[in-house]
């Protein structure tokens, strides 16, 4: 599940995008002017931002983008604009956007581009030495895990399992994905090996701590998040 910010002053367009993303079980927030969009972009963590170029409120899309990048914020940004000239696209890319789409647009193409950007971001994040979700910390160099300052002793397989869940924070990870990523081979997806390992990991990570971070999403897989999913 993605956490998506839509900065778009065209109400119908923003609602159309948000409705499609919500149907795909992603979470969306809409801002319809530049100042609100900038404030929201800086105040929360987002998986991706959809940004219009022309916005009311004396702060346009490129200003929002430049401010984000100047603060070191690397959130993937797709500009979605009616400005289709090549030099306008160049301005957007030079300002730090990751992709540029022109209106009118295909929703399926937008989703495909969003998926590509989020996959690329996830791969880049795999080089990070430390990961943190809420008060849970994982260090790839020392191989240590702690929560609220309490050391948690994990077996190698449990460590790899937690690492993969943390890399995909907020997104459902299927059993097949875990088998391929953590066990490095495929076998019967009906096997309960994943459930057993998740159960052991959950006891170590969540017992005695609040909130619970590891969740089972019925019929889909597992989710590491500070929010309890709607099953």
């Amino acid at each position: 599940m993605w956490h998506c910010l839509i900065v778009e002053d065209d109400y119908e367009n923003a609602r159309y995008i948000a409705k499609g993303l919500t149907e795909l079980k992603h979470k969306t927030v809409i801002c319809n002017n530049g100042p609100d969009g900038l404030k929201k972009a800086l105040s929360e963590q987002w998986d991706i931002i959809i940004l219009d170029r022309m916005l009311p409120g004396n702060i346009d899309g490129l200003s929002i983008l430049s401010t984000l990048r100047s603060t070191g914020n690397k959130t993937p940004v797709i500009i979605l604009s009616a400005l289709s000239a090549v030099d306008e696209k160049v301005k957007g890319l030079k300002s730090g956007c990751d992709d540029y789409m022109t209106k009118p647009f295909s929703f399926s193409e937008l989703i495909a581009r969003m998926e590509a950007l989020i996959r690329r971001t996830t791969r880049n994040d795999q080089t990070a030495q430390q990961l943190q979700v809420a008060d849970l910390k994982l260090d790839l160099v020392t191989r240590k895990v702690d929560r609220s300052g309490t050391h948690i002793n994990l077996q190698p397989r449990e460590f790899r399992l937690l690492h993969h869940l943390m890399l995909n924070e907020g997104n459902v990870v299927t059993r097949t994905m875990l088998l391929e990523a953590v066990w490095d081979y495929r076998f019967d997806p009906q096997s309960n090996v994943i459930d057993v390992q998740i159960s052991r990991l959950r006891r170590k990570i969540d017992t005695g701590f609040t909130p619970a971070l590891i969740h089972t999403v019925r019929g889909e897989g597992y989710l590491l998040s500070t929010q309890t999913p709607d099953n």
Side-chain angles (χ1 to χ4, degrees):
M1 180 171 59
W2 305 334
H3 192 203
C4 312
L5 175 63
I6 303 167
V7 186
E8 167 66 80
D9 66 325
D10 184 324
Y11 174 75
E12 291 300 326
N13 198 36
R15 190 179 68 165
Y16 170 70
I17 297 171
K19 181 175 183 294
L21 288 169
T22 300
E23 288 174 351
L24 293 172
K25 299 185 178 180
H26 301 305
K27 291 185 177 181
T28 63
V29 172
I30 296 173
C31 292
N32 59 13
N33 63 71
D36 287 348
L38 177 59
K39 181 179 179 181
K40 205 68 176 176
L42 291 171
S43 64
E44 296 185 33
Q45 288 188 334
W46 306 95
D47 293 306
I48 196 161
I49 297 172
I50 300 171
L51 181 64
D52 192 8
R53 280 281 306 271
M54 298 180 290
L55 297 165
N58 298 320
I59 299 178
D60 65 5
L62 293 188
S63 297
I64 292 175
L65 185 56
S66 296
T67 302
L68 279 176
R69 297 308 186 225
S70 69
T71 63
N73 189 309
K74 298 180 180 179
T75 302
V77 174
I78 295 180
I79 286 181
L80 190 59
S81 175
L83 300 175
S84 58
V86 172
D87 61 336
E88 297 294 346
K89 294 180 181 180
V90 170
K91 286 179 185 178
L93 293 168
K94 284 188 173 181
S95 295
C97 78
D98 300 276
D99 202 350
Y100 194 113
M101 290 185 67
T102 57
K103 304 173 183 176
F105 63 96
S106 160
F107 182 74
S108 60
E109 181 183 359
L110 175 62
I111 291 298
R113 293 193 184 205
M114 292 173 72
E115 289 175 343
L117 285 177
I118 290 174
R119 282 197 305 269
R120 188 175 73 192
T121 302
T122 300
R123 287 197 299 268
N124 291 341
D125 285 347
Q126 291 179 10
T127 62
Q129 294 182 347
Q130 293 184 334
L131 297 175
Q132 181 169 353
V133 177
D135 56 349
L136 175 65
K137 297 179 181 179
L138 179 149
D139 192 307
L140 285 169
V141 176
T142 63
R143 311 291 288 182
K144 291 183 178 179
V145 174
D146 69 76
R147 185 161 186 193
S148 292
T150 300
H151 175 68
I152 298 174
N153 184 33
L154 296 181
Q155 298 299 315
R157 186 85 69 188
E158 294 169 339
F159 184 92
R160 292 198 296 274
L161 184 58
L162 178 63
H163 178 227
H164 192 72
L165 289 171
M166 292 181 75
L167 283 175
N168 292 277
E169 176 198 358
N171 296 312
V172 175
V173 181
T174 67
R175 288 174 173 81
T176 300
M177 291 166 64
L178 288 174
L179 288 173
E180 294 178 356
V182 179
W183 275 260
D184 299 321
Y185 59 87
R186 301 185 183 189
F187 60 94
D188 183 5
Q190 300 304 315
S191 169
N192 70 345
V193 63
I194 295 290
D195 304 273
V196 171
Q197 290 286 350
I198 287 286
S199 179
R200 291 174 180 170
L201 183 62
R202 182 183 281 126
R203 284 198 297 270
K204 293 183 177 182
I205 297 300
D206 285 340
T207 300
F209 299 101
T210 302
L213 294 177
I214 299 176
H215 309 280
T216 300
V217 181
R218 288 196 301 270
E220 297 187 46
Y222 302 97
L223 171 73
L224 190 142
S225 174
T226 57
Q227 303 295 319
T228 301
D230 296 325
N231 283 311

